[in-house]
Amino acid sequence: MKSRLLILAALIVAASASAEADGGAPRSAPVLSGAYAISGIFNCTTSGGTASQITAEITFDPQAQTASIKGYRADGNPMTLTKFSHSAGAYSNTSTTLTLNGTVYQANYGALKNGIATYVSFLAVDLSQENQLCGDQYWAARE
C-alpha cells in the first residue's frame, strides 16, 4: 500500500512538473469542459468504516457551470456493483480547487489543450450521509 501511495505521489508531481514546463502553474482557472473518464474512491474510517469506488464518465458544462455523472459504483456490505446516473450539481474551479456540489476539493490539473484541462485529480475530506469524516478522491482524464 505504501508503494502505491509513493507511485501516486510521483505521478502527481510529474503532472505538476509537466504543467510547469508548459509555462508554469495555471494562474487562472483551467476550463473543465466536456466528458472525462473518472475513477474514484470514498473511504470513511470512523464507525467501522465504509468504502466506495466508482468508474464513470463526468461531463462538465462550463456555460451552465453544472456537471453530470454516469457509471458504476461498488459499495455496501456485502459489496455490490450498481449502475448510476445523476446530476453532480453545480461546479466552479480555481487554479488549485474544484468545488463540486458544495464540496471544496484540492485539485491538480494536467496539461491544457486550448485552455481546457486534459486531466484533473481532486481530493477532499468531507462528511458522509451518516456524518462520518471521509476521504473523497477522484482522477479524471478528458475523453
Side-chain angles (χ1 to χ4, degrees):
M1 180 68 167
K2 189 174 182 179
S3 64
R4 287 183 182 161
L5 290 175
L6 291 173
I7 291 169
L8 177 59
L11 289 172
I12 290 170
V13 168
S16 296
S18 173
E20 290 174 12
D22 291 336
R27 298 199 191 289
S28 60
V31 174
L32 295 171
S33 180
Y36 291 72
I38 186 170
S39 293
I41 57 172
F42 185 77
N43 285 318
C44 303
T45 58
T46 56
S47 301
T50 348
S52 180
Q53 299 170 313
I54 69 160
T55 185
E57 176 183 89
I58 188 167
T59 302
F60 293 97
D61 179 343
Q63 283 72 37
Q65 290 192 302
T66 59
S68 59
I69 188 167
K70 61 183 178 182
Y72 294 90
R73 171 184 293 115
D75 61 2
N77 187 8
M79 187 74 67
T80 58
L81 184 65
T82 55
K83 189 174 183 176
F84 70 92
S85 177
H86 59 82
S87 169
Y91 82 91
S92 63
N93 63 304
T94 70
S95 62
T96 59
T97 65
L98 169 61
T99 302
L100 188 57
N101 201 25
T103 301
V104 179
Y105 295 88
Q106 297 306 303
N108 287 296
Y109 300 93
L112 303 181
K113 185 173 183 179
N114 299 321
I116 298 173
T118 59
Y119 176 86
V120 60
S121 64
F122 47 106
L123 171 70
V125 173
D126 61 0
L127 289 175
S128 70
Q129 293 176 341
E130 296 82 24
N131 287 326
Q132 298 178 29
L133 284 176
C134 304
D136 206 359
Q137 184 172 18
Y138 301 93
W139 305 268
R142 194 155 193 265
E143 297 179 333

